């Protein structure tokens, strides 16, 4: 049997990115999946992006991942969200043709050099002296590898729930990985249980669009990837409707049949994507809840009811659906259901995505307690990269919170853990003004290029863009605009205030009412640049005060992050630390003072004690 450098178990969004990264970095990789027809499956909403999630997709692209390119090939509706707010929270969101998304990703995997794809069920890890050596399959075949990346999603000891029916299985009719869950426990890995759910799918021919608000695809040429040209394509609209008094009545009358009420659901569910059952139970006085009616593809009539997630009995699901305006005659094609599954609490992870208990074992995606395709893909990419770097004997790639949303995601998981399926939000990123979706290429492409995941051509494009921004920003500060009658009239026309003295073109651009495209009207010397450079010039100019302050905060943050903590410290010997702090620090084993300061239960006083101890260690080492 062929030996591999890296084996990836699971071909969902995490597995695809992990396997592609490893193979593209030149290492022989095997990806094993329960069902080769379900590669990059979208069992929940077939959409990519949104607030914070869209940022992650752009960062994956800048590092050399595949998700952005794949959604650009397969979307049927795309919009830029939060355009009435500042650039820090602008976010792309696209509805995918779920079958085309799978087809395109499958094609990429099958054509990738150094990558083998096989369908099988993995039942056991092969572990010797707490070091992973490979995996065993249900047919008795053993595959050997230097590193293993587990990306099992929600299939680990999965249970499907509809009403009072509960059976072993995964999403969309997949098998549950029951034996693998047992193998992980026997290897010393702690598992806990989460739950997620999906709404019913309905027939497009049975809705009344006239009763709902139309959400067509954007007419602007939008795309996720920095490195693919825009392609015009056929699109489909989405619709927005709302639950009302009738929905609440149906739910209240039948809430006793909800698996949440009967106790058949055991695991914790997602806070930020709750079922309609939870919404009614938590907010009984709230009459309306949004329901987005979204197409699942160009060649299917199935519509996804975003906001109407439930695992109630099927006949009650139909009553709930038909209580919503526009859906009075809707027919359910697939009922909603809940899935319970085992996950690995992420305190058992290193920031590299390697498991602390079993050397060489990396985990990514919902297995680590997250929710969402984007969060999974980001973890998979980082796991694949770091597995290769470890084989090469090189320093791992650990992105800081000030580097990327991916850095925030992983730091949150390994430092804070999660008691519910984790979802990335813009509010989780303290440096979000400099971690915008529009500048992900400037932030991360040099890293992707260094890893061999970004081509020299694409790297040079990004560096040319960086140079153009710097040079033209200098020009804007040099070009002077005087308060002539024409200039004052133009400012008035744009709804801006007057001008009393000569200022730079950059100062004019600082005004909220003035866009970069307006600058030629003030001065013919205004640099002509492409749209991406113009966007950066406008943001850098309008927000430079805020950006400057955030960069100073980052400098302070980096000071704390650079204070490394030896990994062999015996925290229980530090009697000046509170007992809770000793336990948390020993369990998580932070890599820096900065990470230690973010651990729940570790106080500023504990950090002071730890810093004094490290200084004494350093002095003792010098002596």
């Amino acid at each position: 049997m062929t030996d591999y450098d890296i084996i990836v178990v699971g071909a969902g969004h995490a597995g695809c990115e992990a396997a592609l990264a490893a193979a593209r970095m030149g290492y022989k990789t095997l990806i094993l999946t329960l069902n080769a027809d379900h590669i990059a499956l979208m069992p929940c909403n077939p959409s990519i992006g949104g607030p914070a999630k869209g940022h992650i997709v752009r960062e994956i692209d800048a590092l050399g991942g595949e998700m952005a390119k794949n959604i650009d090939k397969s979307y049927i509706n795309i919009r830029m969200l939060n355009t009435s707010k500042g650039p820090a929270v602008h976010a792309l969101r696209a509805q995918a043709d779920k079958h085309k998304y799978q087809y395109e990703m499958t094609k990429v995997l099958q054509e990738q050099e150094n990558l083998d794809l096989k369908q099988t069920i993995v039942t056991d890890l092969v572990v010797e002296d707490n070091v992973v050596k490979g995996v065993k399959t249900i047919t008795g075949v053993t595959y050997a590898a230097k590193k293993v990346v587990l990306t099992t999603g929600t299939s680990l000891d999965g249970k499907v729930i509809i009403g009072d029916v509960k059976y072993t299985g995964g999403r969309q009719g997949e098998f549950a990985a029951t034996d693998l869950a047992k193998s992980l426990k026997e290897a010393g890995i702690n598992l806990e249980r989460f739950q997620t759910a999906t709404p019913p799918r309905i027939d497009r021919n049975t809705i009344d669009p006239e009763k709902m608000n139309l959400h067509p695809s954007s007419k602007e040429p939008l795309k996720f990837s920095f490195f693919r040209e825009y392609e015009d394509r056929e699109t489909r609209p989405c619709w927005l409707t709302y639950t009302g008094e009738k929905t609440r009545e149906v739910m209240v009358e039948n809430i006793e049949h909800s698996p949440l009420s009967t106790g058949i659901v055991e695991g914790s569910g997602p806070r930020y994507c709750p079922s309609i059952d939870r919404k009614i139970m938590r907010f009984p006085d709230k009459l309306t809840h949004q329901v987005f009616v979204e197409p699942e593809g160009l060649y299917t009539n199935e519509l996804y009811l975003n906001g109407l997630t439930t695992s109630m009995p099927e006949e009650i699901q139909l009553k709930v659906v038909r209580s919503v305006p526009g859906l009075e005659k809707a027919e359910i094609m697939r009922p909603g259901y809940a899935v319970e599954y085992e996950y690995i609490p992420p305190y058992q992870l290193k920031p590299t995505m390697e498991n602390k208990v079993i050397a060489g074992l990396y985990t990514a995606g919902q297995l680590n307690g997250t929710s969402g395709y984007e969060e999974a893909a980001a973890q998979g990419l980082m796991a694949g990269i770091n597995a290769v770097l470890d084989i090469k004997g090189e320093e791992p790639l650990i992105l800081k919170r000030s580097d990327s949303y991916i850095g925030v995601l992983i730091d949150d998981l390994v430092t804070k853990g999660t008691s519910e399926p984790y979802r990335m939000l813009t509010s989780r990123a303290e440096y979000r003004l400099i971690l915008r979706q529009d500048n992900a290429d400037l932030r991360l492409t040099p890293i992707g290029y260094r890893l061999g995941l970004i081509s020299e051509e694409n790297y040079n494009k990004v560096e040319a863009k960086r140079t153009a921004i710097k040079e033209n920003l200098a020009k804007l500060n040099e070009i002077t605009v005087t308060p002539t009658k024409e200039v004052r009239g133009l400012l008035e026309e744009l709804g801006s205030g007057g001008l009393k003295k000569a200022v730079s073109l950059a100062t004019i651009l600082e005004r909220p009412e003035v866009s970069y495209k307006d600058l030629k009207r003030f001065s013919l010397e205004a640099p002509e640049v492409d749209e991406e450079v113009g966007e950066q010039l406008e943001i850098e100019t309008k927000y430079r005060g805020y950006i400057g302050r955030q960069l100073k905060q980052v400098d302070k943050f980096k000071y704390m992050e650079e204070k490394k903590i030896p990994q062999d410290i015996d925290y229980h010997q530090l009697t000046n630390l509170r007992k809770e702090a000793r336990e948390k620090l020993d369990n998580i084993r932070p890599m820096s003072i900065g990470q230690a300061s973010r651990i729940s239960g570790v106080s500023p006083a504990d950090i002071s004690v730890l810093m004094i101890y490290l200084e004494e260690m350093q002095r003792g080492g010098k002596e």
Side-chain angles (χ1 to χ4, degrees):
M1 187 56 61
T2 305
D3 289 353
Y4 289 89
D5 294 308
I6 294 169
I7 292 174
V8 178
V9 180
H13 305 279
C16 289
E17 296 292 353
L20 287 170
R24 287 168 176 172
M25 291 173 75
Y27 283 74
K28 190 165 183 59
T29 305
L30 171 66
I31 186 168
L32 300 172
T33 177
L34 290 168
N35 189 335
D37 293 326
H38 282 185
I39 290 169
L41 181 69
M42 292 179 149
C44 201
N45 192 353
S47 70
I48 295 292
K53 292 170 174 283
H55 294 66
I56 288 176
V57 178
R58 282 278 179 89
E59 291 177 353
I60 290 169
D61 188 57
L63 287 168
E66 195 66 26
M67 177 172 269
K69 299 179 182 67
N70 212 60
I71 186 62
D72 282 350
K73 296 175 189 174
S74 58
Y75 74 75
I76 55 175
N77 187 292
I78 190 167
R79 297 166 66 89
M80 184 71 79
L81 307 182
N82 297 331
T83 53
S84 63
K85 301 178 181 179
V89 294
H90 290 179
L92 272 178
R93 183 184 185 276
Q95 199 72 17
D97 181 317
K98 64 179 183 181
H99 297 301
K100 185 169 176 57
Y101 190 94
Q102 287 179 248
Y103 165 78
E104 293 291 351
M105 189 65 86
T106 301
K107 184 180 177 184
V108 169
L109 290 181
Q110 291 182 349
E111 294 178 351
Q112 177 60 51
E113 187 180 357
N114 298 321
L115 180 59
D116 290 344
L117 168 67
K118 296 181 186 295
Q119 176 176 297
T120 190
I121 298 175
V122 174
T123 57
D124 294 277
L125 287 180
V126 179
V127 180
E128 297 176 10
D129 298 324
N130 293 326
V131 178
V132 73
K133 298 295 183 179
V135 299
K136 290 181 181 178
T137 71
I138 196 168
T139 58
V141 177
T142 297
Y143 294 99
K146 298 171 185 173
K147 307 290 178 184
V148 173
V149 183
L150 288 185
T151 66
T152 54
T154 61
S155 69
L156 209 62
D157 198 16
K159 307 287 184 185
V160 177
I161 302 163
I162 302 177
D164 59 359
V165 176
K166 187 174 186 177
Y167 60 90
T168 299
R171 288 178 164 186
Q172 297 281 28
E174 288 188 334
F175 293 107
T178 305
D179 290 334
L180 182 57
K182 181 181 177 183
S183 177
L184 290 172
K185 291 176 182 177
E186 289 174 349
I189 294 175
N190 179 41
L191 299 179
E192 294 182 13
R193 207 149 181 84
F194 270 168
Q195 168 263 322
T196 188
T198 189
R201 270 67 160 184
I202 62 171
D203 187 342
R204 165 73 174 80
N205 294 322
T206 61
I207 70 169
D208 185 353
E210 298 301 318
K211 293 184 178 180
M212 301 183 286
N213 299 321
L214 183 68
H215 280 217
S217 186
S218 173
K219 294 181 180 179
E220 296 295 317
L222 301 175
K223 62 187 181 74
F224 275 93
S225 178
F226 294 103
F227 309 119
R228 288 190 84 252
E229 294 299 320
Y230 170 76
E231 296 175 11
D232 197 12
R233 84 272 309 284
E234 188 177 354
T235 62
R236 290 287 185 272
C238 299
W239 297 271
L240 172 62
T241 183
Y242 296 86
T243 64
E245 180 62 40
K246 191 174 179 181
T247 308
R248 185 170 67 174
E249 288 176 3
V250 172
M251 290 299 303
V252 170
E253 287 174 7
N254 295 280
I255 201 68
E256 63 186 36
H257 299 293
S258 169
L260 297 176
S261 299
T262 61
I264 196 171
V265 168
E266 300 171 9
S268 299
R271 176 187 300 265
Y272 298 103
C273 189
S275 65
I276 189 65
D277 314 34
R278 289 185 191 274
K279 290 176 185 177
I280 296 298
M281 293 167 74
R282 287 179 182 171
F283 312 106
D285 297 328
K286 186 173 174 60
L287 270 178
T288 61
H289 298 278
Q290 290 183 329
V291 179
F292 287 95
V293 182
E294 300 169 325
E296 295 216 324
L298 291 176
Y299 306 109
T300 176
N301 285 332
E302 283 188 89
L303 298 174
Y304 182 92
L305 299 181
N306 187 358
L308 217 59
T309 294
T310 184
S311 56
M312 296 271 270
E314 224 173 314
E315 64 274 12
I316 298 174
Q317 290 189 30
L318 185 60
K319 291 179 182 179
V320 173
V321 170
R322 290 183 172 178
S323 71
V324 179
L327 309 181
E328 293 90 347
K329 297 180 180 179
E331 290 290 345
I332 293 176
M333 297 178 74
R334 303 190 203 204
Y337 59 91
V339 175
E340 281 188 353
Y341 57 96
E342 301 281 294
Y343 79 101
I344 299 175
Y347 66 80
Q348 297 168 91
L349 280 180
K350 298 177 182 178
T352 59
M353 312 308 293
E354 186 179 17
N355 187 271
K356 293 177 180 177
V357 178
I358 302 174
L361 175 65
Y362 295 73
T363 57
Q366 285 182 279
L367 179 60
N368 288 339
T370 60
S371 66
Y373 309 140
E374 303 86 353
E375 291 92 336
Q379 294 172 69
L381 178 65
M382 297 303 291
I385 288 171
N386 280 317
V388 168
L389 292 177
D390 196 54
I391 291 174
K392 295 172 72 174
E394 296 182 4
E395 286 295 310
L397 175 62
I398 300 175
L399 298 175
K400 299 185 182 68
R401 299 181 73 89
S402 56
D403 293 331
S404 64
Y405 272 80
I406 296 175
V408 174
L409 164 67
I410 294 173
D411 184 69
D412 276 355
L413 289 175
V414 303
T415 303
K416 302 174 182 178
T418 184
S419 57
E420 60 193 30
Y422 177 99
R423 178 178 180 176
M424 177 51 71
L425 307 168
T426 52
S427 59
R428 296 189 192 274
E430 50 275 68
Y431 309 115
R432 54 187 170 274
L433 187 53
I434 59 176
L435 301 182
R436 307 183 308 274
Q437 64 156 16
D438 57 80
N439 69 358
D441 56 338
L442 297 167
R443 290 186 279 116
L444 299 176
T445 297
I447 297 174
Y449 176 65
R450 189 181 75 239
L451 293 168
L453 296 174
I454 293 289
S455 69
E456 186 170 2
E457 179 185 2
N458 286 333
Y459 170 73
N460 288 338
K461 285 180 181 177
V462 173
E463 290 308 299
K465 176 180 173 180
R466 192 191 310 277
T467 300
I469 294 166
K470 183 178 179 181
E471 291 178 349
N472 287 296
L473 196 56
K475 290 179 183 177
L476 292 180
N477 283 299
E478 293 168 358
I479 298 169
T480 302
V481 177
T482 55
T484 64
K485 181 179 179 181
E486 289 78 14
V487 166
R488 291 196 298 272
L490 182 54
L491 287 170
E492 185 177 348
E493 179 187 330
L494 293 172
S496 189
L499 185 66
K500 295 181 179 179
K501 62 179 182 179
V503 296
S504 70
L505 206 54
T507 303
I508 293 291
L509 186 56
E510 285 180 359
R511 299 183 179 218
E513 305 84 3
V514 180
S515 71
Y516 191 85
K517 293 178 181 178
D518 295 323
L519 294 187
K520 275 289 184 185
R521 302 173 68 185
F522 290 95
S523 173
L524 294 175
E525 296 180 57
E528 290 191 15
V529 298
D530 64 36
E531 190 172 341
E532 285 190 8
V533 172
E535 179 185 29
Q536 294 302 309
L537 291 172
E538 189 166 331
I539 292 172
E540 289 287 335
T541 301
K542 291 186 187 302
Y543 296 91
R544 56 184 167 189
Y546 299 104
I547 291 172
R549 284 198 287 274
Q550 202 150 96
L551 289 172
K552 289 180 181 178
Q553 293 171 356
V554 169
D555 287 339
K556 293 180 181 178
F557 166 79
K558 285 182 177 177
Y559 172 77
M560 296 289 281
E561 296 303 304
E562 288 168 1
K563 284 191 168 293
K564 300 299 180 185
I565 301 177
Q567 292 301 288
D568 59 354
I569 282 185
D570 184 354
Y571 290 102
H572 293 291
Q573 297 299 315
L574 305 184
T575 54
N576 289 335
L577 289 173
R578 292 175 307 110
K579 182 179 180 181
E580 181 185 8
R582 291 199 298 270
E583 290 174 352
K584 291 288 183 68
L585 289 166
D586 184 62
N587 193 28
I588 294 172
R589 301 249 142 219
M591 300 186 71
S592 68
I593 288 292
Q595 185 186 356
S597 69
R598 295 187 292 275
I599 297 173
S600 175
V602 177
S603 70
D606 295 320
I607 294 298
S608 296
V609 170
L610 187 56
M611 289 184 72
I612 291 170
Y613 175 75
L614 292 176
E615 288 170 4
E616 289 176 350
M617 277 184 64
Q618 190 174 19
R619 284 198 298 270
K622 288 180 179 178
E623 292 171 359

